[in-house]
């Protein structure tokens, strides 16, 4: 779900004074320097009934800006639009109720599934009978709803249509139009994350979704002021994406750290690109984790892709983003065409003619491992000599009925003028977001044994 919600950047920047330093994780006395919380992380399909396709958190309605495609103001993730999501279970409320949330470094607003009547209820409301996957506000003494006169619910930028309004109960109501035309909506609320009796956040702004058909919520972790990371003032967080498994009934488990990661000594870091408030480019997501990608190698060959393809131009097109909420990796045409040309050179006769797997047209019938061996390893090259190596065994992903596609899509087909490194290419890799030092770290790992 990012570039999505460009609206949030302009809207929530005006709310800085509304969120003071009080909203932070309260660590145990004298241990704040070594603050560290570990949670299991799973990678699994959110929609096993549908045929998985190449979609990501960036799938959006699009409109042309300066001759380029750019995400519209109300972009958000389409329901069940990606094959795999990273799921973390977090304790929310007082006493805590464990809620499954999609870990999304491309989103700002975190939201949870609530009983449809609960978002408009106070903590003193009669206990509601709700599914275990849904949060019951009536059971939490720290839950509160935001009234219409709260700063978050007030229009601040006249040029943009805000996703909030006032409902019939004078409570702050939000709504997102998904790319497929469906609507996600609920109330904005405040609630604690209660990790233990001695460790919790103060109440944070969350969405309380009314649509209980989706089991998971979203843990928004971008650099926006209303993301969980910003509101809780987490200095760093990291995750290790477990390898995907085709074994029925088996779900590999990785790790998610809030705070210090004991494995970080071996990480290699790249600096994040940051963009001042005054630098407003129509195709740029200034709240995303933007890195400097230098090039791509396949089977040892450096592809002829100009560095400019991986840098934001004057309109913001070409931004390169690390996004846990995107399933696959997406490249702008200038880079994608070079990758495809090399794949065609290596395994062209095996391509499935005329088949497009979502945003990718590099698809095959037959044995994925055999085709992967013919293609070879792929390497993403960053500055400072940092690399992400995608082994040949994970070059292809099954998309439907035995069809396998290279795990890279053409971003322009999604109306996104950006390069996005998705979680498919973050398997067996520590990824650390060091917010204090404005950098991202990578470290090889066996993520099914990563803690």
């Amino acid at each position: 779900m990012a570039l999505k919600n460009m609206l949030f950047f302009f809207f929530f920047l005006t709310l800085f004074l509304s969120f003071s330093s009080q909203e932070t994780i309260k660590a145990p006395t004298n241990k704040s320097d070594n603050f560290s919380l570990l949670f299991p992380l799973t990678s699994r399909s959110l929609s096993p009934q549908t045929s998985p396709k190449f979609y990501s958190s960036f799938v959006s309605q699009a409109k042309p800006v300066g001759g380029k495609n750019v995400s519209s103001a109300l972009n958000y993730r389409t329901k069940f639009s990606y094959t795999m999501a990273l799921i973390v279970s977090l304790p929310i409320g007082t006493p805590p109720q464990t809620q499954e949330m999609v870990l999304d470094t491309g989103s700002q607003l975190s939201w949870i599934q609530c009983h449809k009547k609960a978002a408009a209820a106070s903590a003193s409301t009669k206990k509601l009978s709700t599914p275990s996957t849904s949060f019951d506000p009536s059971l939490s003494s720290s839950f509160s709803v935001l009234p219409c006169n709260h700063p978050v619910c007030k229009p601040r930028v006249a040029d943009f249509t805000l996703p909030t309004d006032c409902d019939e109960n004078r409570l702050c109501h939000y709504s997102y139009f998904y790319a497929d035309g469906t609507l996600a909506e609920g109330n904005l609320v405040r609630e604690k994350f209660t990790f233990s009796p001695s460790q919790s956040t103060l109440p944070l702004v969350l969405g309380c979704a009314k649509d209980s058909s989706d089991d998971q919520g979203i843990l928004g972790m971008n650099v926006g002021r209303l993301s969980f990371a910003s509101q809780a003032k987490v200095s760093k967080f990291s995750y290790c994406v477990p390898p995907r498994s085709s074994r029925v009934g088996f779900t590999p488990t990785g790790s998610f750290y809030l705070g210090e990661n004991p494995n970080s000594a071996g990480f290699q870091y790249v600096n994040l690109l940051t963009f001042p408030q005054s630098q407003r480019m129509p195709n740029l997501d200034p709240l995303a984790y933007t890195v400097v990608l230098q090039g791509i190698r396949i089977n040892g060959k450096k592809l002829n892709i100009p560095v400019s393809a991986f840098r934001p131009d004057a309109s913001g097109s070409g931004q390169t983003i690390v996004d846990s909420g995107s399933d696959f990796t997406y490249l702008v045409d200038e880079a994608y065409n070079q990758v495809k040309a090399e794949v065609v050179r290596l395994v062209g006769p095996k391509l499935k003619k005329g088949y497009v797997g979502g945003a990718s047209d590099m698809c095959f019938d037959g044995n994925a491992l055999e085709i992967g061996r013919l293609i070879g390893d792929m390497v993403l090259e960053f500055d400072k000599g940092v690399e992400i190596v995608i082994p040949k065994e994970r070059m292809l992903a099954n998309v439907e009925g035995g069809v396998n596609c290279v795990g890279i899509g053409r971003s322009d087909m999604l109306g996104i003028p950006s390069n996005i490194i998705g979680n498919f290419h973050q398997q067996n890799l520590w990824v650390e977001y060091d917010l204090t030092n404005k950098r991202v770290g990578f470290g090889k790992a066996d993520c099914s044994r990563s803690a």
Side-chain angles (χ1 to χ4, degrees):
M1 305 180 190
L3 258 68
K4 70 204 163 203
N5 298 335
M6 293 285 291
L7 168 66
F8 281 149
F9 169 65
F10 304 116
F11 176 45
F12 290 129
L13 276 174
T14 64
L15 303 180
F16 174 68
L17 295 178
S18 298
F19 299 96
S20 67
S21 60
Q22 68 173 352
E23 298 197 74
T24 182
I25 292 178
K26 298 183 288 185
T29 305
N30 299 325
K31 292 186 180 180
S32 58
D33 291 342
N34 297 315
F35 172 74
S36 180
L37 293 172
L38 173 63
F39 303 91
L41 181 74
T42 59
S43 177
R44 69 176 188 263
S45 171
L46 296 192
S47 183
Q49 292 81 21
T50 60
S51 298
K53 296 291 185 181
F54 278 71
Y55 293 105
S56 78
S57 57
F58 286 75
V59 177
S60 63
Q61 302 171 20
K63 58 183 179 182
V65 174
K68 307 262 188 180
N69 281 335
V70 61
S71 303
S72 63
L74 289 180
N75 293 340
Y76 215 63
R77 194 187 310 262
T78 53
K79 291 186 178 180
F80 302 125
S81 61
Y82 41 82
T83 47
M84 289 287 179
L86 305 181
I87 308 295
V88 61
S89 294
L90 295 177
I92 300 177
T94 308
Q97 302 173 46
T98 300
Q99 300 296 300
E100 289 190 336
M101 307 182 80
V102 176
L103 175 62
D104 192 353
T105 60
S107 282
Q108 180 168 194
L109 180 68
S110 298
W111 54 270
I112 53 178
Q113 296 295 343
C114 296
H115 188 279
K116 290 186 177 181
K117 296 180 180 179
S122 69
S124 61
T125 303
K126 180 181 178 181
K127 180 177 177 180
L128 299 172
S129 176
T130 58
S132 60
T133 54
S134 180
F135 182 80
D136 187 345
S138 70
L139 302 181
S140 175
S141 62
S142 53
F143 176 89
S144 65
V145 292
L146 295 190
C148 289
N149 60 1
H150 191 280
V152 172
C153 213
K154 291 183 178 179
R156 298 290 179 131
V157 181
D159 294 339
F160 293 88
T161 302
L162 299 177
T164 56
D165 58 16
C166 218
D167 70 10
E168 65 276 10
N169 297 311
R170 303 295 297 169
L171 301 176
C172 189
H173 175 269
Y174 72 91
S175 57
Y176 297 126
F177 284 97
Y178 289 70
D180 62 358
T182 57
L183 177 68
E185 60 181 343
N187 287 104
L188 290 182
V189 303
R190 295 174 76 93
E191 183 56 287
K192 290 182 178 182
F193 286 70
T194 308
F195 303 112
S196 72
S198 62
Q199 287 182 310
S200 68
T201 68
L202 293 179
L204 310 181
V205 174
L206 306 171
C208 201
K210 295 180 178 179
D211 182 0
S212 60
S213 63
D214 301 345
D215 290 341
Q216 292 82 12
I218 299 295
L219 186 68
M221 295 293 283
N222 72 8
V223 300
R225 296 196 183 280
L226 285 188
S227 74
F228 173 84
S230 296
Q231 289 192 73
K233 301 203 177 299
V234 176
S235 62
K236 61 179 64 174
F237 64 94
S238 54
Y239 54 79
C240 204
V241 180
R244 301 184 182 187
S245 174
S246 59
R247 288 169 51 189
V248 177
F250 175 71
T251 303
T253 301
S255 302
F256 173 57
Y257 276 100
L258 289 174
E260 295 293 331
N261 185 329
N263 304 281
S264 63
F267 295 174
Q268 293 183 303
Y269 291 90
V270 296
N271 293 329
L272 290 168
L273 295 181
T274 57
F275 307 93
Q277 180 180 354
S278 59
Q279 193 173 356
R280 297 182 177 181
M281 295 177 277
N283 296 337
L284 182 82
D285 182 357
L287 305 182
Y289 294 99
T290 304
V291 294
V292 178
L293 185 62
Q294 299 281 19
I296 299 175
R297 300 198 310 270
I298 293 181
N299 200 20
K301 178 184 176 181
K302 179 72 174 283
L303 302 185
N304 185 26
I305 304 172
V307 175
S308 60
F310 304 123
R311 304 283 195 282
D313 61 18
S315 73
S317 299
Q319 179 181 19
T320 298
I321 297 165
V322 182
D323 182 21
S324 67
S326 288
D327 190 356
F328 295 99
T329 290
Y330 299 87
L331 298 174
V332 296
D333 277 355
E334 198 169 10
Y336 184 88
N337 291 338
Q338 290 296 317
V339 171
K340 182 179 178 181
E342 185 61 15
V343 170
V344 169
R345 187 183 73 82
L346 293 168
V347 290
K350 296 182 178 293
L351 279 168
K352 189 174 178 64
K353 306 300 182 185
Y355 184 89
V356 178
S360 176
D361 54 2
M362 296 183 286
C363 300
F364 308 83
D365 288 318
N367 190 298
L369 292 178
E370 176 186 342
I371 296 169
R373 283 192 291 267
L374 293 173
I375 296 174
D377 297 344
M378 182 174 73
V379 179
L380 304 179
E381 302 175 345
F382 299 89
D383 60 345
K384 299 182 178 181
V386 177
E387 297 180 342
I388 293 179
V389 179
I390 294 94
K392 58 182 73 72
E393 295 81 12
R394 286 200 292 275
M395 282 297 293
L396 274 69
N398 181 264
V399 294
E400 62 179 347
V403 177
N404 299 286
C405 297
V406 174
I408 298 176
R410 188 187 299 272
S411 61
D412 282 2
M413 291 182 65
L414 303 179
I416 306 159
S418 301
N419 305 290
I420 305 153
I421 303 171
N423 65 58
F424 183 75
H425 290 138
Q426 299 176 41
Q427 295 176 77
N428 274 346
L429 190 71
W430 278 113
V431 183
E432 180 182 80
Y433 299 80
D434 184 344
L435 307 181
T436 300
N437 296 304
K438 295 181 173 59
R439 61 183 187 170
V440 174
F442 302 105
K444 295 180 181 178
D446 179 352
C447 289
S448 60
R449 303 178 181 178
S450 58

